[in-house]
Amino acid sequence: MGRRGENIRKRNDGRWEARVICGLPVDGKTNYKYLYSSSYQGAKALKKEFLLNLNAMPKPDPVSPASISSIESAAKDTVPDAYEKRHAFTDNITDNIPEAQESPPLFSAVANEWLAAKKLSVKKSTYANYSFMVEKHLLPDFGKLAVKEVDTDRIDAFLLSKKEHGGLKAGEALSEKTISEIKGTLNRVLRYAKSHNIIDAVPDSMPVSIKQPPIIILTKQEQEYIEAEALSEDTNFSLGVLLCLNTGIREGELCGLQWGDFDWNEETISVNKTVYRISNMDDESGPKTRVVIDKPKTLCSIRTIPLPSEIVPFLKERAGAASEYVVTGTEKFMEPRVCRDRYARFEKRAGVAHHNFHNLRHTYATNCVENGVNTKILSENLGHSNVNITLQLYVHPSMSAKKAEVNKLKTFVNRGRN
């Protein structure tokens, strides 16, 4: 579709075409110059440059339209070459203008186009992460290169360099997870370039494997200490700890949970928002990060979780107004970083070793499996898209559970007795 009033349109082959009027009409036909680019902005820039060059050319003396035909007739009869010179002028206008050569698109231009498109279709946190990866990691190495120059060799050298000393602090090594995110963002930009016919194919590159760190769950004794301390303190925050241990909700989801999200008749909670901190890439003069409250990370994370009936009366007695947040008791939410700090101090008071706050979620999942909760139901309660994620990432049988299962086997001693 063309852009109204600009003479710029998208061709069937995917390129953008800008049409420019140049020279004088000859035999009633207007002379056009056609400029091509892989994007609308590129075609518009080529047109602007061409018109600037055209306007800089010396102009002929004005001739009234009514006299043009008589001048041409006289010129042809009296001065044989005058007519040719008159027409040669219109040709020379474009001949003397440097040919508008379309330079290969730079990686920086394509990456920024991709970011602009993504901003409209992904969550704020996802866009902030993409933007951070592009600005801080990809553009310093690839920004000034043409997209076609970003080949397998360059990508592999880039990833190796990042692995060894690619941190934003001098000489700092990056984790495998961060390298994987950088590579994923790079591949997305290159796939965007391929889909817009800027490159023929996405270059192959070295695989980046991520080793999952061991996940630690609370022991039965630690769970008892946590519960005892929470009941003893009886604060909004300790109430939140008990909720995580009995529902498996994420840290950010807990921070965004309000009393209005509870359905006391159905004995459920509705998880429909989360709190998180993101890079503030849009405002370089402001703080580097900002806290936002938004929908959960995926559609599957928007869910309704049943509460254990035994704790419903306990929660209902302590419930506040619908607009109040559970862990603060006010209409102001708590940010995850504050939640983590408060939980670390809570653990000390409870007399247990320090654990990641997320381990409450792991512990809930493990307890459910060991007590025979249906895996599909557990997966939906956790907000996972499929059961495999639940089994691979969140189910960690305790040693006592393993022993109980192993003891179901008949050993050679038992077989000998039968």
Side-chain angles (χ1 to χ4, degrees):
M1 178 181 292
R3 299 296 175 106
R4 185 179 295 274
E6 293 184 330
N7 275 345
I8 300 177
R9 70 182 185 93
K10 191 170 186 179
R11 294 162 50 95
N12 292 334
D13 62 5
R15 293 183 298 168
W16 285 85
E17 174 189 282
R19 189 175 65 166
V20 186
I21 298 175
C22 60
L24 299 176
V26 179
D27 298 330
K29 296 180 180 180
T30 303
N31 290 334
Y32 289 101
K33 181 70 176 179
Y34 297 92
L35 309 169
Y36 303 98
S37 177
S38 60
S39 66
Y40 163 73
Q41 293 294 344
K44 188 173 182 179
L46 288 174
K47 179 180 177 181
K48 182 178 180 181
E49 180 183 0
F50 184 85
L51 289 174
L52 288 174
N53 290 328
L54 182 63
N55 292 332
M57 292 292 295
K59 303 296 188 296
D61 294 332
V63 181
S64 63
S67 62
I68 289 179
S69 60
S70 59
I71 292 174
E72 288 184 346
S73 178
K76 290 179 70 175
D77 295 337
T78 58
V79 185
D81 62 343
Y83 181 79
E84 298 301 327
K85 289 181 179 180
R86 179 257 182 268
H87 283 277
F89 173 79
T90 60
D91 297 331
N92 288 337
I93 288 178
T94 55
D95 290 342
N96 292 330
I97 297 175
E99 184 69 20
Q101 298 291 333
E102 181 188 355
S103 57
L106 296 180
F107 179 88
S108 58
V110 175
N112 287 324
E113 276 189 24
W114 172 75
L115 279 175
K118 282 295 178 185
K119 192 171 186 178
L120 303 176
S121 61
V122 299
K123 285 183 58 182
K124 293 177 183 177
S125 58
T126 303
Y127 173 77
N129 185 55
Y130 286 158
S131 184
F132 181 84
M133 293 298 170
V134 168
E135 295 292 334
K136 300 299 183 182
H137 291 288
L138 299 182
L139 293 188
D141 285 74
F142 300 129
K144 295 181 180 179
L145 296 176
V147 182
K148 293 182 178 180
E149 295 181 283
V150 182
D151 55 17
T152 298
D153 291 341
R154 279 195 167 94
I155 295 174
D156 287 349
F158 166 74
L159 293 175
L160 286 172
S161 174
K162 286 294 178 183
K163 185 175 182 179
E164 294 173 359
H165 47 75
L168 300 181
K169 296 180 181 179
E172 181 185 33
L174 289 178
S175 67
E176 292 173 336
K177 182 177 182 296
T178 303
I179 295 171
S180 178
E181 290 178 352
I182 293 172
K183 181 184 176 182
T185 305
L186 174 59
N187 282 341
R188 289 181 178 92
V189 174
L190 295 175
R191 287 200 298 269
Y192 176 85
K194 181 180 181 298
S195 68
H196 287 71
N197 300 315
I198 300 172
I199 58 177
D200 296 328
V202 176
D204 294 327
S205 56
M206 60 181 287
V208 178
S209 60
I210 302 177
K211 296 178 181 177
Q212 292 292 342
I215 297 176
I216 301 172
I217 64 172
L218 300 175
T219 65
K220 298 300 181 184
Q221 187 178 48
E222 287 175 327
Q223 292 178 55
E224 291 175 1
Y225 288 168
I226 289 287
E227 290 173 348
E229 181 64 27
L231 293 172
S232 173
E233 293 185 5
D234 199 13
T235 63
N236 284 88
F237 182 77
S238 63
L239 196 64
V241 173
L242 289 176
L243 268 174
C244 286
L245 194 57
N246 287 277
T247 62
I249 61 175
R250 301 177 178 94
E251 178 184 68
E253 294 168 345
L254 173 66
C255 291
L257 190 67
Q258 295 171 287
W259 287 113
D261 297 322
F262 287 73
D263 186 328
W264 301 117
N265 292 327
E266 296 294 329
E267 298 185 349
T268 61
I269 57 173
S270 175
V271 179
N272 50 50
K273 53 191 174 298
T274 187
V275 181
Y276 50 85
R277 180 173 287 276
I278 62 174
S279 298
N280 194 17
M281 302 299 293
D282 293 335
D283 184 8
E284 296 182 358
S285 61
K288 293 182 179 180
T289 60
R290 58 193 174 99
V291 179
V292 298
I293 184 167
D294 200 358
K295 294 179 181 179
K297 58 190 298 186
T298 64
L299 288 176
C300 294
S301 295
I302 301 174
R303 62 201 188 277
T304 299
I305 305 175
L307 292 166
S309 295
E310 293 179 354
I311 70 171
V312 171
F314 177 80
L315 295 171
K316 195 173 182 179
E317 287 178 4
R318 292 157 177 77
S323 59
E324 292 180 357
Y325 289 90
V326 174
V327 291
T328 63
T330 69
E331 295 188 356
K332 184 177 180 181
F333 60 78
M334 179 184 292
E335 71 161 290
R337 186 165 59 185
V338 174
C339 183
R340 287 191 292 272
D341 291 342
R342 291 196 61 175
Y343 181 65
R345 295 195 294 271
F346 175 88
E347 286 177 307
K348 287 184 178 180
R349 295 194 298 273
V352 301
H354 175 61
H355 297 284
N356 190 306
F357 190 93
H358 202 72
N359 287 346
L360 293 173
R361 178 172 166 87
H362 299 319
T363 303
Y364 165 79
T366 303
N367 287 341
C368 285
V369 171
E370 291 181 357
N371 284 279
V373 175
N374 179 278
T375 308
K376 176 62 177 175
I377 293 175
L378 172 59
S379 180
E380 292 182 0
N381 286 349
L382 292 172
H384 291 157
S385 58
N386 61 67
V387 175
N388 288 335
I389 296 176
T390 307
L391 293 174
Q392 293 173 6
L393 299 181
Y394 291 97
V395 178
H396 314 284
S398 65
M399 184 55 67
S400 60
K402 291 178 182 178
K403 287 182 178 179
E405 292 299 313
V406 169
N407 286 333
K408 292 179 181 179
L409 299 174
K410 287 187 176 181
T411 65
F412 68 93
V413 176
N414 289 330
R415 286 197 297 271
R417 290 175 179 173
N418 295 336

